[in-house]
Amino acid sequence: MICEGGREEAGPIEFRRLRPELAEEFERFFQTINNPEDLSFFHPHAFTPEKARELCEYTGRDLYYVAYDGSAILAYGMLCGWDEGYEIPSLGIALHPAARGRGLARTFMLFLHLAAKWRGASKVRLTVFKDNVPAVRLYTGLGYLYQEKNDQEYVGFIDL
């Protein structure tokens, strides 16, 4: 269970593909990250209850996962672009504030890389704001190479 000051009585962490039975918990996760600070760095779509349910019922080629401890969603990750015909998926990730700084982001990213490779991708791409220093540091440490997208963002690529 996640509490404001951290975690207490946590179960084992699982990476799970979004499914309808996670909709209520996913809505709660969206409520937590639906704030100006988090949305300044991660805004691939709306973070409404309707969008949470839509993603939990999604059946296309793109992949949507969560890190789950049996009682709370700790992180959300996506690999998108296959539905639009792209060979290289775009990766996005968001962590619950209480789960940050514990190594989960790196482990979840490695899992998402494996999921993309399993799906047949040879590379993954992502976009990151230059002033999101923790994310840039994480992605660089994983081996992403950057190109300038604009004054505020990089596009990063990694070979799988």
Side-chain angles (χ1 to χ4, degrees), residues 63 65 79 82 89 91 111-124 160:
L63 298 173
Y65 287 97
L79 292 160
W82 284 302
L91 185 149
F111 169 79
L112 292 169
H113 292 164
L114 180 60
K117 189 172 184 175
W118 194 260
R119 175 59 62 88
S122 61
K123 293 182 180 209
V124 169
L160 300 177

Side-chain angles (χ1 to χ4, degrees), residues 82-99:
W82 284 302
D83 282 346
E84 290 82 21
Y86 293 102
E87 289 182 35
I88 300 173
S90 294
L91 185 149
I93 186 172
L95 267 68
H96 190 288

Side-chain angles (χ1 to χ4, degrees), residues 34-156:
N34 193 8
N35 63 72
E37 184 179 331
D38 286 325
L39 294 180
S40 68
F41 291 131
F42 186 70
H43 47 266
H45 51 67
F47 290 95
T48 62
E50 296 80 18
K51 187 64 177 181
R53 292 197 180 277
E54 175 188 323
L55 290 171
C56 286
E57 295 172 8
Y58 171 80
T59 59
R61 295 206 56 211
D62 294 342
L63 298 173
Y64 298 93
Y65 287 97
V66 293
Y68 184 67
D69 74 355
S71 65
I73 291 176
L74 308 174
Y76 162 51
M78 57 188 194
L79 292 160
C80 300
W82 284 302
D83 282 346
E84 290 82 21
Y86 293 102
E87 289 182 35
I88 300 173
S90 294
L91 185 149
I93 186 172
L95 267 68
H96 190 288
R100 295 176 188 158
R102 300 170 182 259
L104 178 58
R106 179 178 178 79
T107 302
F108 198 20
M109 292 282 296
L110 293 171
F111 169 79
L112 292 169
H113 292 164
L114 180 60
K117 189 172 184 175
W118 194 260
R119 175 59 62 88
S122 61
K123 293 182 180 209
V124 169
R125 72 180 299 275
L126 55 74
T127 300
V128 61
F129 284 91
K130 294 176 181 180
D131 59 349
N132 188 351
V133 176
V136 171
R137 188 178 312 124
L138 169 66
Y139 305 149
T140 300
L142 288 167
Y144 279 83
L145 301 175
Y146 299 107
Q147 299 172 359
E148 295 253 348
K149 180 176 182 182
N150 55 45
D151 289 344
Q152 298 177 346
E153 299 169 296
Y154 295 119
V155 175

